[in-house]
Amino acid sequence: MTSPVGLHRVIEPSGVLPQAATKLDNDPAIGADEVRISVERLNLDAASFRQLHTKHGGDGEAVRAEVLEIIRTRGKMHNPVTGSGGMLIGTVEEVGPRSPLGLSVGDRVATLVSLTLTPLSITDGLRRWDGAGEQVPAAGHAILFARSIAAVLPDDLDPELSLAVLDVCGAPALTARVVSGYPNAKVAVVGGAGKSGSLSLAAARRSGAARTVGIVPVEHEAARLRSVGLADSVALADARDPVALARAVTTALGGPADVTVVCVDVPGCEHGSILSTDEGGTVIFFSMATSFAAAALGAEGLAADVTMIIGNGYVPGHAEYAMSLLRSDAGVRALFDARLAAEKPE
Amino acid sequence: MTSPVGLHRVIEPSGVLPQAATKLDNDPAIGADEVRISVERLNLDAASFRQLHTKHGGDGEAVRAEVLEIIRTRGKMHNPVTGSGGMLIGTVEEVGPRSPLGLSVGDRVATLVSLTLTPLSITDGLRRWDGAGEQVPAAGHAILFARSIAAVLPDDLDPELSLAVLDVCGAPALTARVVSGYPNAKVAVVGGAGKSGSLSLAAARRSGAARTVGIVPVEHEAARLRSVGLADSVALADARDPVALARAVTTALGGPADVTVVCVDVPGCEHGSILSTDEGGTVIFFSMATSFAAAALGAEGLAADVTMIIGNGYVPGHAEYAMSLLRSDAGVRALFDARLAAEKPE
């Protein structure tokens, strides 16, 4: 009997969830509700790659050796220093008869759960990878559990583009759900020009927001966001300055926001986002730099009756929803295309 | 023109909120929307007192001297090491004509916003305090802003009892609000025998919960909670063990919880509380030991469609609601009375 969350794959310590395990069982034989993926590429988490790159002084051989060693000893790509993993692309190789994931053999998929909890085995020594970047061509296999998540990559889009969207697809789905709860919502997205920010702006508008503002820290981001028309207004503010942020939001929306979405990965945005939000409103924190204590004590100290939500990367249908925004919203598509073009060397 | 959140009292650095300030203006002259309190006693935050006590090797004179020095230099009791403050009791001395707090001169009150953001001046050198405990008899004044919060202490209750309830009054109010959103809710309170936990259990029941369970770590707490009848069932589990916690909750409630309330101040309860909660359910984290990243990544890794809320200590009417639970629920009263009796030396 296999566990839907993969408890049966935990080798040590016993009793913990796969993410907390030091070692997973990466046996290619799958249980009745599991799926095996033939791996094509790993996308290492940026923080993880940076740590390895820095540790080895940019020596790609050494970086590759350490990644192989991590996967060999842990049965998963879980950087023990940063605690982070990444995601992978591959092709479905075998589907257990009771898998609820809806995948078919031959589907090209991206996994939307972290590599930190995905059983993984590498068979090619990562020989096609120079250890100099986060994109790792690889051969081997990975296992998905009943409660894992994978998205089928569309044939008609650049896989890089799909991946960039899928990487943050929880944000627009949760934003849509929350905004739908407020009739004629005023919505502020802090970090509106980024990947999760721009998708959240599009989701807010599609969910009936009456007015939206994208907050960005520098003029060139403001110009970019204005040019694609994703927000009703765009304003400059340092999100770490509570008074400046609240002033920018309130001015742009004609009052505080019903929903404030925090998408900037810098510490210290809690007080400003609370102060920008109306009584009875909601703040959604997607930034991993959010401090639980700063948010909890900040709202209490401001006597602010706001609901504060920890951004959950999983919402049912999140991948399809984000991809539909990419396809239907020219502004989203333009921002993502520009970002990919800037990242590609050629 | 005064700021409702006290920006006009910030001396340095400029532009930050009072909580983030290194120095506040504690001038006794109040603005039109401020209130001045004549201080009777400070209740230092437990973590703050412990740090000072340890630093000075239990030398009460030295502890007292440092508290005085902190208040003198910062204009507030904000421990620079722990970042925490505490609360105070006093009597309303002057009320500005535009104060919205509803207080009258002569009211005996407890402040429900942290001392870390409350302008404070001490005039008696804390000479009645031996520096050996968190309760600090004091003379001086404190300032409340328009958006500060203070609760009038009832005449008919031991002030210690009122304070113990007011200290955690945000938890039952927010629990009530969330539970009310689920018809016939199944509710789990992790740490159900503690102050915030027992009040949350009472709030859940009063808000229409169909079934409640209190989870506790040790048998003597289970016996105590069972004896007062606050929960439909009581179960033992280590909240840091996700599988054990989920099993205990699911067994007691006949399925996962609609609402899980986390009231235990130990790290590592995120995964278990997520795993204990039904799809579409809500987890409320009141524990300051909650890790934002562990919660966000944990829910994603489990593909768990749960709403995760950062416990906000402020909900309108929270003090009155908690006091009404204390007065109307014999089980709550019995637990709090027993706790106070155990803490008092005589």
Side-chain angles (χ1 to χ4, degrees), chain B residues 161-221:
Chain B
L161 180 61
S162 299
L163 280 179
V165 171
L166 293 172
D167 189 35
V168 295
C169 66
L174 186 51
T175 298
R177 183 187 278 184
V178 172
V179 169
S180 300
Y182 291 88
N184 303 313
K186 293 175 181 172
V187 180
V189 177
V190 185
K195 292 201 299 179
S196 57
S198 57
L199 283 165
S200 297
L201 278 169
R205 186 175 276 173
R206 197 196 266 195
S207 304
R211 187 155 180 85
T212 61
V213 60
I215 304 288
V216 294
V218 289
E219 181 52 40
H220 72 86
E221 284 197 26

Side-chain angles (χ1 to χ4, degrees), chain A residues 111-126:
Chain A
T111 60
L112 300 185
V113 288
S114 172
L115 289 180
T116 60
L117 56 91
T118 305
L120 176 68
S121 173
I122 296 298
T123 53
D124 71 342
L126 302 179

Side-chain angles (χ1 to χ4, degrees), chain A residues 5 7 15-17 19-20 83 112-114 117 147-149 167 174 177 241-243 271-272 274-275 277 279-280 285-316, chain B residues 5 7 15-17 19-20 83 112-114 117 147-149 167 174 177 241-243 271-272 274-275 277 279-280 285-316:
Chain A
V5 297
L7 294 171
V16 302
L17 292 169
Q19 192 161 39
L112 300 185
V113 288
S114 172
L117 56 91
R147 279 180 70 167
S148 299
I149 323 162
D167 188 36
L174 186 51
R177 182 187 278 183
D241 179 337
V243 180
H271 289 182
I274 292 164
L275 208 54
T277 307
E279 297 294 294
F285 291 103
F286 286 112
S287 163
M288 281 299 164
T290 303
S291 156
F292 182 91
L297 295 176
E300 182 174 346
L302 293 165
D305 180 21
V306 297
T307 298
M308 298 183 289
I309 294 182
I310 297 173
N312 178 349
Y314 176 71
V315 175
Chain B
V5 296
L7 295 171
V16 303
L17 292 170
Q19 192 160 40
L112 300 185
V113 288
S114 172
L117 56 89
R147 279 179 71 168
S148 299
I149 323 162
D167 189 35
L174 186 51
R177 183 187 278 184
D241 179 336
V243 180
H271 289 184
I274 292 165
L275 208 54
T277 307
E279 296 295 293
F285 292 103
F286 286 113
S287 163
M288 281 299 163
T290 304
S291 157
F292 182 91
L297 296 175
E300 182 175 344
L302 293 165
D305 180 20
V306 297
T307 299
M308 297 182 288
I309 294 182
I310 298 173
N312 178 351
Y314 176 70
V315 175

Side-chain angles (χ1 to χ4, degrees), chain A residues 40-83:
Chain A
E40 171 186 331
R41 195 171 71 206
L42 310 178
N43 285 27
L44 300 184
D45 170 74
S48 173
F49 175 73
R50 200 180 314 122
Q51 185 268 330
L52 292 165
H53 184 77
T54 305
K55 172 180 173 184
H56 294 293
D59 178 351
E61 283 288 320
V63 171
R64 181 170 60 184
E66 181 161 357
V67 169
L68 280 168
E69 181 63 11
I70 289 172
I71 298 170
R72 195 187 62 75
T73 54
R74 308 199 73 175
K76 59 178 177 174
M77 181 51 214
H78 186 174
N79 183 320
V81 176
T82 63

Side-chain angles (χ1 to χ4, degrees), chain B residues 190 239 242 245 260 262 269-277 283 285:
Chain B
V190 185
L245 178 58
T260 301
V262 182
C269 302
E270 300 86 0
H271 289 184
S273 53
I274 292 165
L275 208 54
S276 300
T277 307
V283 183
F285 292 103

